[in-house]
Amino acid sequence: PTAAKAKDAKYVFGNALAEAGHYDVAIGFLKASDTTEAQYLLGTFHRDGLGGAEINIPTAVEYFSNALEKGYIAAQDALYDLRDQLTAWKKYSLGRRYSYGPQSDHAKANELFLAASNTEKDAAFEYANRLYKGEHGVTQNVDEAVRLYTFASEKGVIKATFALAKHQLTSQVNNAADAIHLYVSYLCTPFLFV
């Protein structure tokens, strides 16, 4: 019973640290605990890149699977979400292959980008570009393009933020205040190569 309590205490302390945003310290306590909850949290750390853990989907899957094997049902949802994210990313990646090169097939690329656009940020940006401009066999739909640009921007695609700012300046809405705010957020972001 003493060893089990110690592992529980390590989880409780690690969880409290994680909730306070001290992921880098929390990860050590969670690794020292063998509770199902700790396994689940470690899976989220590796899925999301928290606590100094690099994003590592295979490791996240391993932690989530361990938690599920021990009866932690929330891990099943996490595994399903990962599967859906990977499926969307694969569609985006394949769409890029169809989109460029000597053997391009824009109809197939559009189909793949559309299928992935509601969950995969880069696919949303790519498809939004096509919708906004009405290119590559896609009927122009600015409202849907703005929705997808907004989704991608909120997920950290800097180019989408820039596209929204440009839209604010050049559209009939012509909202200069929003455009300036978006341009400033674009310029102040250190990850311009994202």
Side-chain angles (χ1 to χ4, degrees):
T2 306
K5 284 184 181 179
K7 286 186 180 190
D8 288 340
K10 290 174 185 172
Y11 162 72
V12 169
F13 194 60
N15 185 46
L17 286 166
E19 287 179 356
H22 302 289
Y23 302 110
D24 53 334
V25 179
I27 199 166
F29 285 96
L30 294 171
K31 283 183 177 180
S33 173
D34 194 34
T35 63
T36 56
E37 295 88 351
Q39 295 290 303
Y40 177 80
L41 276 178
L42 288 167
T44 62
F45 278 34
H46 286 281
R47 178 193 64 204
D48 301 336
L50 302 172
E54 290 188 26
I55 293 177
N56 186 327
I57 300 304
T59 301
V61 168
E62 183 179 331
Y63 278 118
F64 287 140
S65 296
N66 289 343
L68 184 59
E69 286 174 12
K70 294 177 182 180
Y72 199 71
I73 301 302
Q76 184 171 13
D77 291 336
L79 287 167
Y80 284 145
D81 288 345
L82 276 176
R83 181 200 62 200
D84 292 345
Q85 289 173 5
L86 289 172
T87 300
W89 186 85
K90 285 179 185 176
K91 287 178 182 176
Y92 162 72
S93 182
L94 188 57
R96 293 213 20 109
R97 287 189 198 143
Y98 278 113
S99 198
Y100 302 103
Q103 308 257 331
S104 62
D105 180 348
H106 290 291
K108 186 66 175 168
N110 291 337
E111 178 185 319
L112 291 162
F113 288 146
L114 175 62
S117 67
N118 285 320
T119 55
E120 213 293 314
K121 63 185 180 182
D122 294 311
F125 175 74
E126 192 79 38
Y127 195 62
N129 276 338
R130 291 165 182 246
L131 283 168
Y132 194 82
K133 298 171 186 173
E135 292 181 334
H136 304 298
V138 176
T139 302
Q140 187 176 30
N141 184 338
V142 174
D143 291 338
E144 180 63 6
V146 168
R147 184 188 74 77
L148 290 171
Y149 280 144
T150 301
F151 167 76
S153 177
E154 289 171 352
K155 296 291 184 180
V157 178
I158 303 305
K159 295 178 283 188
T161 305
F162 183 76
L164 284 170
K166 186 176 175 183
H167 168 71
Q168 290 293 338
L169 281 179
T170 60
S171 70
Q172 292 175 348
V173 175
N174 195 6
N175 188 337
D178 284 347
I180 290 168
H181 173 75
L182 289 165
Y183 273 124
V184 168
S185 68
Y186 172 77
L187 294 172
C188 292
T189 302
F191 306 107
L192 296 178
F193 49 85
V194 173

